[in-house]
Amino acid sequence: MATLLHIDSALAPQQSSSREVGAAFVKNWLEAHPGGTVVHRDLAAHPVPHLDWDALSAGLVPAEQHTEEQRAAVAAREELVAELEAADAVLLAAPMYNFSIPSTLKAWLDQVIVVGRTGGAEGTVKGLPFTVIASRGGSYAPGTPRESFEFVTNYVEKVLTGMLGAEVDFIVPELTLAPVKEELAELRPLARASREKAFEEADVKAKALAARLAV
């Protein structure tokens, strides 16, 4: 049976669009793929360490010469990399914070991208399907006033395809702050439509992924 690695990064444990859509995706995937395994990693509740010199420099010397700090850093990184390599698909929640991804998600990416292993033309996760939930409080779609501020989907697509050789598909719930901000009240119909579309896509794409992995 297939394994879905589910990465959450939203700070809010509840009432988070990326978490809600992600939970719906997982539910639909499991219904379509009974017996499948979901490995959930919550980067907000349990942040991974940022990539530091101990982890990076460990790759420059033989393992038997590693310091205690290097051994600890390598072990922490190995856990994350092995978890990614064991997955058949990844569900990645990437809410927009200050026009970019959460720092915890950037830390995870830095840890799992290992040039010569996961990263590179023949990396160990080449072709791995990623479904990315890129939620945002406003709208940064083409033609909107803040189109040029969109650094989430652009960055995530480039780093996953360019560094890992992964396949990337997006679900983008927009205007998630409209229900709670009066200055966005006139955009609430659009927000509801975007939310409904996100849940519909979570259903369709989860079932399509389950069917693909079942072959």
Side-chain angles (χ1 to χ4, degrees):
M1 291 295 181
T3 296
L4 175 68
L5 176 59
H6 178 196
I7 304 292
D8 266 320
S9 62
L11 291 175
Q14 297 177 341
Q15 297 180 329
S16 157
S17 292
S18 66
R19 288 183 184 274
E20 291 173 349
V21 175
F25 186 101
V26 169
K27 178 177 180 292
N28 295 326
W29 186 82
L30 285 172
E31 288 177 352
H33 193 70
T37 299
V38 177
V39 176
H40 184 219
R41 182 173 286 275
D42 190 334
L43 300 177
H46 304 287
V48 302
H50 285 277
L51 189 65
D52 60 14
W53 180 241
D54 288 324
L56 197 60
S57 63
L60 306 177
V61 295
E64 59 270 19
Q65 296 180 20
H66 286 175
T67 65
E68 287 295 328
E69 293 78 11
Q70 286 175 322
R71 281 193 286 272
V74 168
R77 195 176 195 187
E78 175 62 28
E79 178 184 350
L80 298 171
V81 171
E83 187 174 72
L84 177 63
E85 290 176 329
D88 296 291
V90 180
L91 176 63
L92 191 67
M96 178 184 282
Y97 291 166
N98 299 321
F99 309 125
S100 187
I101 62 173
S103 63
T104 52
L105 180 53
K106 179 61 164 63
W108 181 82
L109 288 167
D110 287 341
Q111 291 283 8
V112 300
I113 297 173
V114 183
V115 177
R117 183 171 171 179
T118 58
E122 299 300 325
T124 54
V125 297
K126 182 178 180 180
L128 186 66
F130 277 73
T131 303
V132 181
I133 304 171
S135 59
R136 59 276 314 278
S139 179
Y140 301 82
T144 61
R146 288 199 166 185
E147 176 184 357
S148 64
F149 289 76
E150 210 300 309
F151 300 108
V152 172
T153 58
N154 289 331
Y155 168 72
V156 171
E157 191 274 334
K158 293 297 186 295
V159 75
L160 293 180
T161 60
M163 298 297 292
L164 296 179
E167 297 179 15
V168 184
D169 194 14
F170 285 97
I171 299 174
V172 186
E174 291 198 314
L175 298 166
T176 62
L177 289 177
V180 297
K181 285 187 172 288
E182 286 304 316
E183 60 267 33
L184 298 177
E186 65 180 14
L187 299 176
R188 286 171 185 170
L190 292 176
R192 286 193 294 270
S194 180
R195 179 178 173 82
E196 291 172 2
K197 180 182 178 183
F199 280 102
E200 289 172 1
E201 291 185 342
D203 183 15
V204 171
K205 294 185 178 188
K207 290 176 179 176
L209 178 62
R212 171 182 172 181
L213 295 178
V215 174

